[in-house]
Amino acid sequence: MSNKEKLKEIALELFSTRGYNAVGVQDIVDSVGITKPTLYYYFGNKHGLLTEVIKKDFDTLLGDLQLASDYKGDFVKSIRNTISSFFKFSTKHSIFFRLYLTLSYSPQESEAYQVIRPYNLKLKETITKLFVSAVPSNGNLKGHEEMLSNALIGLLNHYALGLINKELEFNEHFIYQVSQHFMHGVYAL
């Protein structure tokens, strides 16, 4: 593995377990066994390193969700596919997912939040597209697409945290329960 990949791997682990602000450049380079100039060469600074760490896995998440949430006429199936895809990703990439949640709930003015914000907007756009696509056959969604997107993302984040903390078990019945939990609110619109 190259030094660049080692830096990203170690940074992901440290940022996820200790928090972005609690980890210094020296902590990272000491863990990899290189010098600061090597990190600066590859990433410019700690902010650039965080950006690279986020990009790789978040791009994977977005790609998976774009496929899963592609509306093909069955709204409930699309919701279940989206939920399943999100949970598969979060359990497979649990270290990254914990970092994503930490950054997402950081103060808006923080450097950490500024890195994750564009990705959160892309996530919201991807999920919102599902609701917009479903409006013609589910008229009650009209005008609520962004609100539903926010609600689904919040629900997914909450349950995914339970999954990565091993408080919940990921299986088909769980996906069914979560989709029912969400759909109950949709039908109440």
Side-chain angles (χ1 to χ4, degrees), residues 134-146:
V135 164
S137 56
N138 297 275
N140 63 323
L141 303 178
K142 187 161 182 64
H144 303 285
E145 299 90 345
E146 284 194 31

Side-chain angles (χ1 to χ4, degrees), residues 123-180:
L123 174 62
K124 182 178 176 184
E125 180 182 301
T126 299
I127 301 298
T128 301
K129 183 180 175 189
L130 164 61
F131 295 108
V132 169
S133 298
V135 164
S137 56
N138 297 275
N140 63 323
L141 303 178
K142 187 161 182 64
H144 303 285
E145 299 90 345
E146 284 194 31
M147 178 196 64
L148 291 168
S149 178
N150 286 333
L152 182 56
I153 292 168
L155 188 75
L156 292 172
N157 284 343
H158 177 75
Y159 281 124
L161 181 61
L163 288 170
I164 66 173
N165 285 340
K166 309 269 190 256
E167 297 164 351
L168 300 168
E169 185 180 338
F170 179 51
N171 55 43
E172 287 301 316
H173 183 66
F174 179 68
I175 293 168
Y176 172 79
Q177 288 178 310
V178 174
S179 65
Q180 289 300 107

Side-chain angles (χ1 to χ4, degrees), residues 75-138:
F75 183 60
V76 174
K77 184 176 181 180
S78 296
I79 292 295
R80 283 194 186 133
N81 289 344
T82 302
I83 290 168
S84 179
S85 178
F86 194 88
F87 291 160
K88 284 177 185 171
F89 176 87
S90 64
T91 55
K92 182 177 180 184
H93 303 272
S94 60
I95 295 169
F96 169 80
F97 193 79
R98 187 174 304 283
L99 176 60
Y100 150 70
L101 286 177
T102 302
L103 299 176
S104 294
Y105 292 101
S106 296
Q108 287 185 332
E109 304 79 28
S110 72
E111 185 175 300
Y113 182 80
Q114 294 308 312
V115 170
I116 200 67
R117 185 176 188 276
Y119 293 97
N120 282 338
L121 292 173
K122 289 178 187 175
L123 174 62
K124 182 178 176 184
E125 180 182 301
T126 299
I127 301 298
T128 301
K129 183 180 175 189
L130 164 61
F131 295 108
V132 169
S133 298
V135 164
S137 56
N138 297 275

